[in-house]
Structures are given as C-alpha cells and as structure tokens.
Amino acid sequence: MHFAAQTHVDNSFGNSFEFVKNNVYGTCVLLEACKSFGHIKRFVHVSTDEVYGETDENANVGNHEASQLLPTNPYAASKAGAEMLVMAYGRSYGLPVIITRGNNVYGPHQFPEKLVPKFILLAMKGKPLPIHGDGSNVRNYLYCEDVTEAFDTILHRGEVGHVYNIGTDEEKRVIDVAMDICRLFSLDPSTVIKFVENRPFNDRR
C-alpha cells in the first residue's frame, strides 16, 4: 500500500521539483522494486481526488473513476503522473495494481499544515484563522477511521486493474469549517477569521 507522498498543495507551488521527485520518481522506484521481486499480490497506489481538477459548481454529482484527469496544481499533476506509471506497469509488466482517489482526510495527530488541525491549533492559542480568498471554496472531508475502513475493503476485495474513488457526498465551504471550529472554541468568527490573498489557482469545488 503506497501512501508515501508530498501532499500539501500550497507547498507544491514553490517546490514543484521536489513534488515530482518524491511523487513520480518515488512511485517509479517502488514499481521497479515490485517488478524485480515478482511476488507482489497487490500494489495499492493511494492517489487523490485532486487529479480530477475543478468540479463544475453546478454539477449534481462528482467525478467518476473514468473522468478525465485535469490537475490544476503541481501536487495534483505529480499524483496524476504517478498514476500513469502505475497503470503502465500494470499493463506492461502485469503488476497487480489498484488505484484509489480520496477526498481530504482529517483526524487526530494529523500534521498541522492541513486545514483542520491547523485551524484547531490556532484556535487553541486564540490566534487568527487565515482563509484564502473569500472562503467559498467547497471541499469534501473524510474522517480517518472511515477512510481506513475503505482502504481495508479495497485491499481485500478490490479488483486488480480498477480505480476506486473514496469520498463523501457531504460538502463544506472552507469558511464553514472555520466557523465550526470557532463554535467549538467559543470564538467570535468576526474577530478571529482573517481573509488572506488567494493562492495561484484555488479550485472552487
């Protein structure tokens, strides 16, 4: 199960070479090792919903597994590139590959560069919660135990050669997440939430 990756979109804008090296070249190293070993029962490559790019604001349903990959940032592009290698090794060398594409995951002990732990730690200290743009960007969030259950199911029952989305229908704007955290810490959103300059391309949904 290949979870290893550079994953933070913001960091990828100023560090795209490192993201390509870790996410594309790193994946290739693992694929070559599995090919040489020759006894791998499954190679589960953990990708991201970011590879689909932006979802139309008026869409009634999200992207399906056969949707075109249209990444909008270096992180997403590096994960899409890694996916292409995984698929190629599956076709050319018969490696038993499976790809997953998941929504944003949150949970205890998560590294604080991610939105939810970052906001919680800032709220605990009474510091401002910085939000890119106007906070209307929509995302889906999966709790770590739920996504773990999905990985366990895919590992044991998924079909080789298939791609599996791991997601939820529940969407939240970034501003809503910040408001929820303010409520949990009894903070006044009007004084704590601070809007900052948007990043170069921030998917609306």
Side-chain angles (χ1 to χ4, degrees):
M1 296 190 76
H2 173 27
F3 288 93
Q6 291 263 34
T7 63
H8 197 47
V9 173
D10 287 356
N11 293 344
S12 75
F13 285 110
N15 203 13
S16 55
F17 287 113
E18 279 298 305
F19 275 70
V20 170
K21 184 176 82 172
N22 285 304
N23 296 349
V24 181
Y25 181 73
T27 298
C28 192
V29 168
L30 292 179
L31 290 165
E32 276 293 317
C34 291
K35 182 183 70 140
S36 298
F37 180 64
H39 302 291
I40 298 297
K41 293 181 180 179
R42 293 196 165 198
F43 185 103
V44 180
H45 176 72
V46 180
S47 191
T48 169
D49 62 354
E50 288 267 0
V51 297
Y52 294 121
E54 195 166 47
T55 300
D56 186 78
E57 289 185 57
N58 300 316
N60 292 321
V61 294
N63 291 291
H64 54 82
E65 285 85 347
S67 295
Q68 186 177 5
L69 304 189
L70 296 167
T72 58
N73 57 71
Y75 159 61
S78 70
K79 292 297 285 185
E83 280 196 28
M84 296 300 105
L85 279 170
V86 171
M87 291 177 184
Y89 272 71
R91 292 190 186 108
S92 296
Y93 302 113
L95 281 185
V97 299
I98 296 173
I99 293 172
T100 69
R101 297 175 184 149
N103 291 152
N104 294 289
V105 179
Y106 70 96
H109 309 295
Q110 187 175 28
F111 194 71
E113 69 183 2
K114 305 298 184 184
L115 181 74
V116 174
K118 179 180 180 181
F119 280 4
I120 288 172
L121 289 172
L122 289 171
M124 287 172 69
K125 298 174 183 176
K127 292 185 176 180
L129 310 185
I131 293 179
H132 288 122
D134 61 5
S136 64
N137 306 75
V138 176
R139 298 289 184 267
N140 300 66
Y141 299 90
L142 291 169
Y143 186 61
C144 58
E145 289 183 7
D146 295 325
V147 79
T148 300
E149 187 178 335
F151 282 125
D152 186 57
T153 300
I154 292 165
L155 175 65
H156 294 102
R157 294 168 55 193
E159 292 187 40
V160 168
H162 284 233
V163 176
Y164 293 96
N165 284 342
I166 302 174
T168 173
D169 293 330
E170 187 174 337
E171 296 180 314
K172 273 188 175 287
R173 299 179 304 165
V174 173
I175 186 74
D176 296 327
V177 175
M179 298 281 276
D180 288 344
I181 290 171
C182 284
R183 275 194 294 274
L184 288 170
F185 288 91
S186 302
L187 299 172
D188 181 0
S190 64
T191 60
V192 175
I193 292 174
K194 302 294 181 189
F195 297 99
V196 299
E197 185 179 353
N198 215 344
R199 66 189 188 203
F201 188 95
N202 196 358
D203 294 336
R204 299 294 294 177
R205 185 183 181 202

